[in-house]
């Protein structure tokens, strides 16, 4: 059974007339949208970074702030939307700027929980760069809390993962946290 057929069945089980004009092509569109929203499963770290690692004498923090992210929570299949801040301390290599955002997207475009997403991004940046430390903070709003359940419209979730120097050195960690405030 195709994804489109499953959407047809779901709409029918909700009590909808799947033949009415407004829904006639909805299963096809919904299937296409879900494949797009979950495209991260078809990507690999090697593919998204595409060898964009360059020699550098820089040993100071590299920070990419406010990377917007869109993901689906694995518990309700509802969106969570937010931004990621990703930093690393180079150890002879720097990553192409857009590749940091591509790493965020690759993991965000999978069914997720924010806690795991934060760790996956940090570990991937660490793996690719061999950095002395990596820090990731994500702030997101979860539709599963806003549209259903407790219906808290102004709630946001913050998660962080600190690796290497960001975990071990309070001054480095503090510098990062001050920069992302």
């Amino acid at each position: 059974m195709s994804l489109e057929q499953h959407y047809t069945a779901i709409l029918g089980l909700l009590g909808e007339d799947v033949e009415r004009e407004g829904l006639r092509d909805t299963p096809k569109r919904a299937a296409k949208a879900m494949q797009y929203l979950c495209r991260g499963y078809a990507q690999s770290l090697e593919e998204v970074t595409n060898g964009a690692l360059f020699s550098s004498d820089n040993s100071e923090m590299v920070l990419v702030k406010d990377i917007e992210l869109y993901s689906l929570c694995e518990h309700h299949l509802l969106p969570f939307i937010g931004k990621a801040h990703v930093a690393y301390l180079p150890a002879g290599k720097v990553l192409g700027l857009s590749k940091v955002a591509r790493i965020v997207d690759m993991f965000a475009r999978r069914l997720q929980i924010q806690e795991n997403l934060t760790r996956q991004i940090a570990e991937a940046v660490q793996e690719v760069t061999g950095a002395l430390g990596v820090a990731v903070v994500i702030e997101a709003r979860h539709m599963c809390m806003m549209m259903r359940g407790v219906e808290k419209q102004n709630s946001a979730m913050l998660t962080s993962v600190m690796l290497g120097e960001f975990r071990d050195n309070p001054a480095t960690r503090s510098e990062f946290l001050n920069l992302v405030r």
Side-chain angles (χ1 to χ4, degrees), residues 119-139:
R119 176 154 300 280
Q120 289 166 354
I121 294 166
E123 289 174 350
V125 171
Q126 176 67 50
E127 179 183 330
V128 170
T129 64
L132 300 173
V134 177
V136 178
V137 169
I138 294 178
E139 178 180 352

Side-chain angles (χ1 to χ4, degrees), residues 12-53:
L13 290 169
L14 290 172
E16 273 291 353
D17 173 8
V18 295
E19 293 303 318
R20 75 175 170 86
E21 182 183 5
L23 289 180
R24 211 168 287 137
D25 291 327
T26 296
K28 184 186 341 176
R29 287 190 300 262
K32 192 173 180 180
M34 186 59 79
Q35 288 167 330
Y36 180 82
L37 295 172
C38 294
R39 71 185 185 276
Y41 291 117
Q43 297 176 311
S44 69
L45 192 52
E46 296 75 26
E47 177 188 334
V48 299
T49 56
N50 196 26
L53 197 62

Side-chain angles (χ1 to χ4, degrees), residues 9 14 19 26 38 66 74 78 89 117 121 139-140 146 164 170 174-175 178 181:
L14 290 172
E19 293 303 318
T26 296
C38 294
D66 298 324
E74 64 187 37
L78 289 172
L89 295 170
L117 174 59
I121 294 166
E139 178 180 352
M146 296 170 73
S174 180
E175 178 184 354
N178 284 331
R181 279 193 189 116

Side-chain angles (χ1 to χ4, degrees), residues 139-181:
E139 178 180 352
R141 297 189 180 281
H142 292 249
M143 296 303 126
C144 58
M145 267 189 68
M146 296 170 73
M147 295 175 66
R148 54 158 301 282
V150 295
E151 296 185 27
K152 298 301 177 204
Q153 304 307 307
N154 298 308
S155 63
M157 181 176 183
L158 269 93
T159 51
S160 69
V161 170
M162 307 288 168
L163 303 176
E165 284 296 307
F166 287 97
R167 181 183 264 309
D168 301 335
N169 185 332
T172 303
R173 182 185 192 115
S174 180
E175 178 184 354
F176 167 71
L177 293 173
N178 284 331
L179 287 170
V180 299
R181 279 193 189 116

Side-chain angles (χ1 to χ4, degrees), residues 69-144:
L69 65 86
Y70 308 92
S71 194
L72 294 174
C73 87
E74 64 187 37
H75 298 143
H76 303 99
L77 302 182
L78 289 172
F80 64 94
I81 300 164
K83 59 187 174 182
H85 311 295
V86 180
Y88 66 97
L89 295 170
K93 301 276 186 189
V94 293
L95 187 59
L97 179 61
S98 71
K99 305 311 179 187
V100 176
R102 290 184 191 282
I103 289 170
V104 170
D105 282 346
M106 180 183 77
F107 289 111
R109 295 305 189 158
R110 298 175 181 183
L111 300 180
Q112 278 290 7
I113 61 171
Q114 184 175 327
E115 299 90 334
N116 292 349
L117 174 59
T118 310
R119 176 154 300 280
Q120 289 166 354
I121 294 166
E123 289 174 350
V125 171
Q126 176 67 50
E127 179 183 330
V128 170
T129 64
L132 300 173
V134 177
V136 178
V137 169
I138 294 178
E139 178 180 352
R141 297 189 180 281
H142 292 249
M143 296 303 126
C144 58

